[in-house]
Amino acid sequence: MKYSTSFAKTTKIAPHDADSANARFLVQAGFINQLMAGVYTFLPLGIRVLDKIKNIVREEMNALGSQEVYMPTLHPKEHYLKTGRWDVIDVLFKLEGAGGKEYALGSTHEEIVTPLVQQYVKSYKDLPVSVYQIQDKFRNEPRAKSGLLRGREFSMKDMYSFHLTEEDFEAYYEKAKQAYLNVFHRCGIDAIITEASGGVFSKYSHEFQTPTECGEDLIYVCNTCQYAQNREITELKDGDKCPKCEGTIKETKTIEVGNIFPLKTKFSESFGFTVAGEEGKQVPVLMGCYGIGPSRVMGSIVEVHHDERGMIWPKSVAPFQVHLVSLNAKDQTIQEKVIDVAEGFYQDFVKAGVEVLWDDRVETSPGEKFADADLIGIPLRLVVSEKTLAEEAIEWKLRTEKEFRLVPLQDIMEQVETFVSE
Ligand code: ATP
Ligand code: MG
């Protein structure tokens, strides 16, 4: 993409209510735009990051054998009356349609997925089944805050699995834990598996908690084996000996990036979802549910990876791999040469499938271009200027490093291709 053509540019002014690094940098860099508290538009740079996170999630869920679906957001009240949750889910957005008919906006999809799968699964031979979707969820959060971390409309991947036996469920639940760890690792953040209560769903659950100063959760985690419990269930204190090993428990601020729950037969019983078991007897289906918030993950990545100048994207989720910057020269002939060389590389990168953002603006000073590159946080910055061309080279600088080096023009293509494939 040529930056001159991008309609959403960087801005020097931080949003007045920016209470976190992700709220400030994502808005300033033109990745997201706030419509109202907790509700954001994803701009061209932002949607590229969000889509990459969603695709990582998608790949890992597909590898688990789960099948992607896309369920409606508009839900009929009747399904919630069956599960008794119409007045229990405190964050449920409720609306009234024509003829006084009542609806909810999806905050989670057990009420929809259970009767859906029930229509197709008749016998134990049809189990296990797992389905997932990636969709916006709506929650009337009392306090939307911290940019993408707590929204009222936000992206969620929710997966639901259906099993005949407890053993089969347990085995899948353990595999899902590993898939979740893979997702967060590939997104460049740590996630500590944390024992937690099940909330409105079940007795216990497992949260995936990423340590960050602006996190709203407190967990108690062992500095040796990473055994962890959430504040709400735990009797552990800072400095305690770990119940699982010789390590010491540390109180740590975190943000919950994922959560998986055994649902047992809570929802299958509400809908009368039974299957004919091996002996022909009808038995209720066992369920599990598994959530990840891709938009919250995006905000969390920024919380973990930034400095005072801006964001520092891991390659796997960066909007572009290369930020090509051409600097203006006073001399017209040299200026044309600079643009020529930059344009040549830009075209070659595009042809080679290297994702490149070219800051081709002509009215903008070098200082502003460098500040924008730091703010946007693309992993590799390449600068073409009168000075670098005098050396028949391009300036090569990683966002994670302070120093740059000069790379000869004829070596650029090969080195860039190696860099993006590493
Ligand atoms: P929290 O305790 O932070 O309110 P939750 O436990 O209610 O979250 P779940 O129902 O477990 O959330 O949702 C699954 C995942 O969806 C969470 O782990 C998180 O990644 C994401 N998520 C939940 N609520 C929000 C929100 N308001 N904004 C952005 N992402 C969210
Ligand atoms: Mg949760």
Side-chain angles (χ1 to χ4, degrees):
M1 182 168 86
K2 293 184 183 176
Y3 198 60
S4 64
T5 65
S6 166
F7 86 93
K9 300 272 196 325
T10 59
T11 154
K12 289 205 178 62
I13 307 143
H16 70 279
D17 58 348
D19 55 355
S20 54
N22 88 89
R24 178 177 152 210
F25 290 138
L26 286 170
V27 171
Q28 270 193 274
F31 283 55
I32 59 173
N33 177 282
Q34 192 182 56
L35 175 64
M36 56 182 160
V39 182
Y40 289 89
T41 295
F42 284 79
L43 297 166
L45 286 176
I47 196 76
R48 293 180 70 95
V49 177
L50 187 64
D51 280 347
K52 286 191 180 179
I53 296 168
K54 287 179 178 176
N55 278 332
I56 289 173
V57 171
R58 189 173 269 125
E59 282 173 20
E60 294 295 336
M61 297 309 114
N62 290 347
L64 261 182
S66 193
Q67 300 175 39
E68 186 165 4
V69 295
Y70 192 81
M71 292 180 269
T73 303
L74 195 60
H75 299 178
K77 178 180 182 180
E78 294 74 37
H79 287 223
Y80 291 82
L81 294 181
K82 286 208 169 137
T83 60
R85 293 209 300 172
W86 183 255
D87 292 313
V88 170
I89 305 178
D90 51 357
V91 292
L92 201 62
F93 274 112
K94 298 169 180 171
L95 33 137
E96 199 179 294
K101 192 167 161 47
E102 289 180 280
Y103 304 91
L105 292 180
S107 69
T108 175
H109 274 69
E110 284 80 4
E111 273 79 0
I112 310 306
V113 78
T114 312
L116 170 76
V117 172
Q118 182 179 17
Q119 292 175 50
Y120 300 95
V121 169
K122 298 296 175 202
S123 120
Y124 72 94
K125 290 183 192 147
D126 300 325
L127 294 175
V129 166
S130 172
V131 298
Y132 75 96
Q133 64 172 348
I134 301 174
Q135 204 208 36
D136 273 9
K137 292 282 189 276
F138 295 84
R139 290 189 183 179
N140 197 0
E141 299 275 0
R143 276 174 308 114
K145 62 191 285 260
S146 307
L148 295 181
L149 298 191
R150 184 169 299 284
R152 295 204 168 100
E153 176 177 353
F154 58 93
S155 163
M156 200 202 284
K157 184 283 303 176
D158 43 329
M159 180 172 85
Y160 306 87
S161 71
F162 302 82
H163 309 265
L164 183 66
T165 65
E166 195 65 48
E167 300 75 68
D168 191 51
F169 165 74
E170 288 292 343
Y172 194 80
Y173 192 78
E174 289 309 311
K175 275 200 330 201
K177 265 188 202 164
Q178 188 53 51
Y180 267 47
L181 291 177
N182 297 348
V183 166
F184 300 120
H185 179 73
R186 289 178 63 185
C187 289
I189 53 177
D190 281 339
I192 300 166
I193 297 183
T194 305
E195 292 177 2
S197 67
V200 289
F201 302 110
S202 65
K203 273 210 199 70
Y204 75 93
S205 75
H206 290 92
E207 295 170 344
F208 293 77
Q209 296 278 5
T210 296
T212 150
E213 256 317 294
C214 84
E216 286 183 68
D217 283 9
L218 262 191
I219 67 164
Y220 292 84
V221 55
C222 171
N223 63 3
T224 309
C225 71
Q226 291 230 317
Y227 173 74
Q229 292 188 344
N230 192 303
R231 154 176 57 180
E232 287 147 21
I233 53 156
T234 188
E235 289 176 355
L236 294 170
K237 297 184 309 297
D238 202 39
D240 278 1
K241 187 178 156 305
C242 173
K244 303 278 175 189
C245 78
E246 290 303 304
T248 307
I249 295 293
K250 217 178 142 15
E251 185 183 270
T252 309
K253 268 190 178 179
T254 52
I255 176 83
E256 179 200 306
V257 283
N259 202 177
I260 61 176
F261 304 80
L263 298 176
K264 308 256 178 189
T265 55
K266 158 126 185 68
F267 293 94
S268 49
E269 277 175 12
S270 300
F271 289 97
F273 182 9
T274 59
V275 290
E278 280 182 69
E279 283 99 50
K281 218 175 94 209
Q282 291 291 316
V283 286
V285 170
L286 291 163
M287 287 173 60
C289 80
Y290 314 79
I292 290 183
S295 51
R296 182 181 282 184
V297 168
M298 179 167 161
S300 305
I301 295 169
V302 177
E303 294 304 323
V304 174
H305 300 289
H306 70 269
D307 61 16
E308 68 290 348
R309 287 168 293 143
M311 303 179 282
I312 306 172
W313 293 106
K315 263 196 272 182
S316 57
V317 294
F320 293 93
Q321 303 300 309
V322 177
H323 196 140
L324 179 64
V325 179
S326 49
L327 300 186
N328 301 318
K330 282 207 189 76
D331 181 280
Q332 188 58 30
T333 327
I334 299 172
Q335 170 70 2
E336 276 165 21
K337 174 93 195 296
V338 168
I339 296 295
D340 235 40
V341 170
E343 174 92 49
F345 277 113
Y346 177 73
Q347 299 299 349
D348 289 350
F349 291 152
V350 170
K351 259 191 237 125
V354 173
E355 298 172 309
V356 53
L357 178 67
W358 175 21
D359 192 343
D360 59 332
R361 292 172 295 177
V362 285
E363 303 288 317
T364 313
S365 73
E368 260 178 89
K369 287 190 173 187
F370 292 150
D372 279 353
D374 283 343
L375 177 62
I376 292 170
I378 290 168
L380 172 61
R381 190 187 79 187
L382 298 178
V383 178
V384 187
S385 70
E386 175 171 4
K387 240 167 60 193
T388 71
L389 289 186
E391 312 267 344
E392 289 288 311
I394 281 187
E395 189 185 296
W396 173 294
K397 184 187 161 300
L398 299 182
R399 178 65 180 86
T400 48
E401 287 172 8
K402 284 211 158 55
E403 302 303 318
F404 67 83
R405 62 190 172 93
L406 285 177
V407 174
L409 291 178
Q410 73 268 17
D411 297 345
I412 285 288
M413 203 56 211
E414 196 189 322
Q415 291 199 25
V416 165
E417 284 190 305
T418 307
F419 174 80
V420 298
S421 65
E422 266 167 5

